[in-house]
Amino acid sequence: MSTPQKLTRIKAVNWNRIEDDKDLEVWNRLTGNFWLPEKVPLSNDIPSWVSLTPIEQQLTIRVFTGLTLLDTIQNTVGAPALMADAVTPHEEAVLSNICFMEAVHARSYSSIFSTLCATRDVDDAYKWSEENECLQRKSTLILEEYKSDNPLKRKAASVFLESFLFYSGFYLPMYWSSRAKLTNTADLIRLIIRDEAVHGYYIGYKFQRVFETLTPMEQLEIKDFAFALMLDLYDNETKYTEALYDDVGLTEDVKKFLHYNANKALMNLGFEALFPADMTNVNPAILSALSPNADENHDFFSGSGSSYVIGKAVVTEDEDWNF
Amino acid sequence: MGLLVYFSSKSQNTHRFVDKLNIPAQRIPISPQDDMPEIHEPYVLVVPTYADGDGKGAIPKQVIHFLNDETNRSYLRGVIAGGNRNFGQFYAYAGDIISARCKVPCLYRFELMGTAEDVANVRNGINKLWK
Ligand SMILES: Cc1cc2nc3c(=O)[nH]c(=O)nc-3n(C[C@H](O)[C@H](O)[C@H](O)COP(=O)(O)O)c2cc1C
Ligand SMILES: [Fe+2]
Ligand SMILES: [Fe+2]
């Protein structure tokens, strides 16, 4: 198989001549997902916000400034860098959608702040972020790879940002939601999480398309690079997690969530999981906050159900079924 | 130990999961141009979820075409669904839909290419199922 070539000159994009049908599938999903923060009634969270302690409020604002930084990096550096590496015009178009949604994500946190928080507290949190070494280190580690001369390294770094680095932050709104707090904010974060899932999937898929054209030696080199970068980022994330969550006693719970997501980030690149089951047993309350109602039917093989359960899903209509 | 039938798109997650199970498996082709398998023995179906934001289109078209064949459908004993929890309420929703439409149990759900624990759970479950 030949190595996919970067696009060199600009050709009008023709969506009726698709070279990789994943481009169209993902384009459809992403455009169908489009949303703006105004869609979510954040102000309904005001009573819940004032019920948090000052420490909890401070933690929440700090977490969201950290997430804002990641989305800003993806919007201004990450997605544009990947666009330059695109091998089909449709890939370029998908990445431009990703790029724009990152700006929407970054903008959403400011909507949360202006709805719930005092300006002074937000300013303090931004200052904290700018001075927090772990947060700065994480952005440096990623930005260095975005500058590298290897498109595969850029893609791997991008997947780690999308599918791993966000989760030290996403944990908190899922935790609040599991305690029936800030539930509208959690709805907004779930929209972001869903977008990031498609981003991580798609960039990881494009990584794998190139990876499979490499020689075994080159593959080994890239795989070593990816695992080493993951371990550097992980090391830094554990420190960042401690700095944020020690005060509220949640650090160990968050770390399990980090391990679980690190495994998923590696899978998006087509690699096997790194952390064993006893390190990834995420608090079930957090898992159900991620996918509400999805665990209602106990799966037979999990041992939690003693008899067969036939799904009672609303049978969505799809004209292709003929029975 | 019984048969698996599965679909996996070009991202190959489900294919990798089924590979790790080490159970005889037949793949539903990605391309509608390729021949659709005809199954004549009991099997479990493994399918990834591809729903939109409203839960529509969760089942890959090729899987629907496979199940539209009455013989294929008559040997279906259960479904295992792939997905990603980050899709929220529609996590592994393909399992719910096939279960409801074909009146077979949803046996298990897993994320992406599955973990070692998922592999062990499914292997055990399948062993018991065919006993
Ligand atoms: C466009 C798109 C839509 C998806 N929708 C869902 C979904 O609604 N629910 C879910 O659990 N997973 C969803 N996923 C995740 C896939 O089910 C998951 O990545 C799966 O491992 C893909 O399997 P495959 O690589 O064998 O095709 C979606 C993925 C894509 C690319
Ligand atoms: Fe984002
Ligand atoms: Fe993203």
Side-chain angles (χ1 to χ4, degrees):
Chain A
M1 202 182 281
S2 65
T3 312
Q5 292 295 309
K6 276 194 207 184
L7 295 170
T8 43
R9 64 201 162 87
I10 297 184
K11 277 195 291 182
V13 55
N14 181 354
W15 284 97
N16 298 317
R17 287 261 174 272
I18 299 283
E19 292 149 61
D20 182 345
D21 40 23
K22 275 287 164 199
D23 291 338
L24 180 58
E25 181 182 282
V26 170
W27 170 270
N28 287 340
R29 174 74 207 213
L30 286 173
T31 52
N33 276 1
F34 178 74
W35 59 277
L36 288 170
E38 288 74 18
K39 167 177 162 178
V40 183
L42 290 170
S43 60
N44 291 347
D45 280 347
I46 294 172
S48 177
W49 176 257
V50 297
S51 77
L52 300 181
T53 67
I55 295 275
E56 291 169 342
Q57 290 186 351
Q58 184 187 59
L59 167 64
T60 307
I61 306 176
R62 285 180 179 178
V63 157
F64 287 163
T65 57
L67 292 171
T68 308
L69 177 65
L70 293 178
D71 275 309
T72 309
I73 291 175
Q74 236 14 24
N75 169 232
T76 59
V77 187
L82 296 179
M83 275 170 81
D85 296 331
V87 296
T88 68
H90 313 94
E91 178 183 354
E92 223 175 0
V94 170
L95 287 163
S96 65
N97 174 297
I98 291 179
C99 186
F100 174 67
M101 281 317 287
E102 304 300 8
V104 173
H105 298 168
R107 200 263 168 272
S108 300
Y109 297 110
S110 293
S111 298
I112 297 174
F113 293 150
S114 62
T115 310
L116 303 179
C117 317
T119 313
R120 184 168 35 85
D121 294 343
V122 177
D123 289 343
D124 286 349
Y126 270 93
K127 190 151 177 291
W128 181 86
S129 303
E130 277 152 32
E131 286 164 6
N132 180 275
E133 275 179 32
C134 304
L135 192 54
Q136 295 311 315
R137 169 127 182 95
K138 110 161 99 176
S139 86
T140 308
L141 281 170
I142 293 294
L143 289 171
E144 266 170 18
E145 298 313 329
Y146 283 165
K147 277 184 272 175
S148 94
D149 52 10
N150 187 336
L152 275 178
K153 292 186 176 176
R154 275 194 282 277
K155 287 186 170 68
S158 208
V159 168
F160 289 164
L161 187 155
E162 300 275 5
S163 306
F164 174 59
L165 294 179
F166 277 116
Y167 288 85
S168 50
F170 287 155
Y171 174 89
L172 190 63
M174 293 302 107
Y175 173 80
W176 290 138
S177 157
S178 76
R179 314 217 134 197
K181 297 201 166 181
L182 302 185
T183 52
N184 295 281
T185 302
D187 284 342
L188 183 148
I189 300 296
R190 267 187 223 100
L191 294 172
I192 300 183
I193 289 176
R194 187 181 69 182
D195 290 345
E196 306 305 5
V198 182
H199 299 174
Y201 169 93
Y202 181 72
I203 300 165
Y205 167 78
K206 290 292 177 179
F207 171 95
Q208 293 181 57
R209 286 283 75 81
V210 183
F211 187 82
E212 67 193 10
T213 66
L214 301 181
T215 65
M217 274 304 286
E218 290 168 326
Q219 288 190 344
L220 203 61
E221 200 181 305
I222 287 293
K223 192 171 173 184
D224 284 349
F225 159 83
F227 276 81
L229 177 60
M230 172 52 87
L231 287 174
D232 278 352
L233 292 168
Y234 168 68
D235 201 42
N236 186 61
E237 280 305 284
T238 59
K239 294 192 187 105
Y240 181 62
T241 298
E242 287 159 11
L244 284 169
Y245 291 95
D246 271 359
D247 283 350
V248 293
L250 288 172
T251 302
E252 291 315 306
D253 219 35
V254 181
K255 283 185 183 169
K256 290 194 170 170
F257 196 51
L258 295 185
H259 303 147
Y260 160 78
N261 285 292
N263 281 352
K264 287 172 72 177
L266 288 165
M267 287 192 214
N268 273 335
L269 294 179
F271 298 139
E272 68 277 16
L274 179 64
F275 294 100
D278 63 344
M279 292 178 83
T280 57
N281 47 346
V282 177
N283 182 348
I286 299 297
L287 294 181
S288 13
L290 269 181
S291 48
N293 307 323
D295 298 286
E296 267 173 11
N297 303 324
H298 293 291
D299 298 331
F300 191 58
F301 288 176
S302 312
S304 46
S306 52
S307 59
Y308 282 167
V309 182
I310 304 292
K312 40 187 190 308
V314 217
V315 178
T316 51
E317 284 323 309
D318 186 321
E319 63 280 8
D320 288 77
W321 293 108
N322 73 0
F323 62 95
Chain B
M1 96 191 265
L3 181 70
L4 294 176
V5 174
Y6 73 100
F7 178 83
S8 183
S9 81
K10 277 161 77 185
S11 44
Q12 303 276 33
N13 284 335
T14 313
H15 173 75
R16 289 186 176 105
F17 179 67
V18 169
D19 235 21
K20 292 189 281 186
L21 292 174
N22 220 347
I23 297 172
Q26 205 164 335
R27 185 171 184 164
I28 297 172
I30 296 178
S31 165
Q33 264 103 57
D34 293 342
D35 288 341
M36 193 54 87
E38 272 269 359
I39 307 294
H40 296 279
E41 59 177 303
Y43 67 93
V44 167
L45 185 64
V46 191
V47 209
T49 306
Y50 280 91
D52 68 11
D54 303 316
K56 295 207 189 77
I59 320 286
K61 296 274 188 232
Q62 282 290 92
V63 175
I64 296 182
H65 296 152
F66 170 81
L67 288 173
N68 277 343
D69 181 299
E70 209 177 320
T71 312
N72 285 342
R73 207 159 66 236
S74 69
Y75 289 105
L76 173 66
R77 294 294 179 266
V79 58
I80 294 175
N84 182 344
R85 261 187 199 283
N86 297 349
F87 287 86
Q89 63 180 123
F90 295 117
Y91 166 50
Y93 195 53
D96 298 85
I97 296 192
I98 291 180
S99 171
R101 196 176 266 275
C102 302
K103 308 282 181 282
V104 294
C106 178
L107 301 169
Y108 199 73
R109 295 150 208 260
F110 65 97
E111 293 190 90
L112 306 177
M113 59 175 88
T115 62
E117 207 181 11
D118 294 323
V119 170
N121 287 343
V122 169
R123 279 189 57 87
N124 283 336
I126 292 275
N127 268 328
K128 280 193 208 127
L129 187 70
W130 297 131
K131 225 171 236 167

